[in-house]
Amino acid sequence: AMGHRQPKVAEEALALVVSLLLVAAMVRLGRHLGEARAARDRLASSEAKYRQLVDQLPQPVFETDRTGILTFANRAALERYGYSGADLENSLDIYGTLVPEDRPRAMERARRVMAGEASPGDVYTAQRKDGTTFVSQVYTSAILENGVPVGLRGISLDISRSKRDAEVLQTHSRQQAGVADLGLRSLAASDLDDLFQMVTERVAETLNVEYCK
């Protein structure tokens, strides 16, 4: 299941990035048409098309100002995090969508991205409006106006299932290694009492429980 899920997430992320690049190119093209009325009309039309296209994407996309206040969130973002359009209009803070312990790290990443660093795709514990959580990987880039950063644009990917699958696989691998080790030690043991104690200790270690002699 994990093998199928990871390519799917990668394909969704790639499709999302390509879509964003295309619509961003449309917006930049409109901005270079000049200050004439016709150019402003084209720009407004391009931005409207950008919003409409992004609103149909299956992954959460958002934009913020320099302080982290959300200025745009597509439909998927609002649904995933449990907010409404009315919440968005009431100065919703992007950092409020993360658990408190992750907020300082997200603020520092925002500062670095607006300073010109590339976003590596940070993993956070996201927090919905109702308080429930999920694991999210967030990619961000700076929104520039005349070369000056005025906010952030980002994409959020829900990786909860992939993380759970990886943890299960890690636990399974550790348990298999423990069984193999027990087999080798059993073959080498000559005393039944020593063998029993060794097996008990190894099982406790594999299951991550405390063993008292």
Side-chain angles (χ1 to χ4, degrees):
M2 182 179 64
H4 292 294
R5 174 63 181 171
Q6 290 176 334
K8 182 178 179 182
V9 171
E11 290 172 5
E12 290 176 352
L14 179 59
L16 184 56
V17 170
V18 171
S19 298
L20 289 176
L21 287 174
L22 289 173
V23 294
M26 291 169 57
V27 173
R28 282 197 292 270
L29 178 60
R31 286 175 177 162
H32 284 88
L33 293 177
E35 295 298 326
R37 175 67 180 252
R40 289 198 300 270
D41 289 345
R42 292 190 187 95
L43 175 59
S45 176
S46 295
E47 289 179 339
K49 290 177 181 177
Y50 165 81
R51 300 294 185 184
Q52 291 172 2
L53 177 59
V54 173
D55 206 39
Q56 299 303 313
L57 294 173
Q59 296 295 345
V61 178
F62 62 88
E63 293 180 353
T64 74
D65 63 15
R66 286 186 61 87
T67 67
I69 299 300
L70 282 162
T71 57
F72 171 77
N74 70 346
R75 186 180 307 172
L78 295 176
E79 291 176 353
R80 181 73 53 82
Y81 288 82
Y83 289 96
S84 66
D87 293 317
L88 190 62
E89 294 173 0
N90 291 326
S91 300
L92 183 61
D93 184 354
I94 186 66
Y95 304 112
T97 64
L98 303 175
V99 294
E101 54 268 32
D102 280 357
R103 292 171 191 172
R105 186 161 55 90
M107 292 177 184
E108 175 61 16
R109 175 60 65 195
R111 184 191 68 79
R112 292 187 176 188
V113 169
M114 283 192 282
E117 288 189 14
S119 169
D122 296 283
V123 176
Y124 303 107
T125 300
Q127 182 171 274
R128 301 183 181 91
K129 184 179 181 179
D130 64 6
T132 58
T133 61
F134 63 94
V135 181
S136 176
Q137 187 167 23
V138 181
Y139 295 85
T140 54
S141 61
I143 299 175
L144 303 177
E145 289 187 3
N146 299 319
V148 178
V150 296
L152 289 175
R153 179 177 294 113
I155 304 166
S156 171
L157 303 175
D158 184 347
I159 61 170
S160 299
R161 182 174 176 179
S162 297
K163 185 176 178 63
R164 287 196 301 270
D165 289 345
E167 289 172 349
V168 169
L169 180 60
Q170 185 178 29
T171 299
H172 183 62
S173 297
R174 187 176 67 250
Q175 291 173 343
Q176 283 187 320
V179 171
D181 182 57
L182 279 176
L184 292 175
R185 293 191 184 191
S186 298
L187 291 174
S190 58
D191 185 272
L192 289 179
D193 290 336
D194 290 342
L195 177 59
F196 176 78
Q197 180 174 322
M198 177 189 65
V199 169
T200 305
E201 289 176 349
R202 195 68 177 87
V203 168
E205 179 185 343
T206 302
L207 298 179
N208 196 26
V209 296
E210 186 176 353
Y211 167 62
C212 298
K213 296 181 180 180

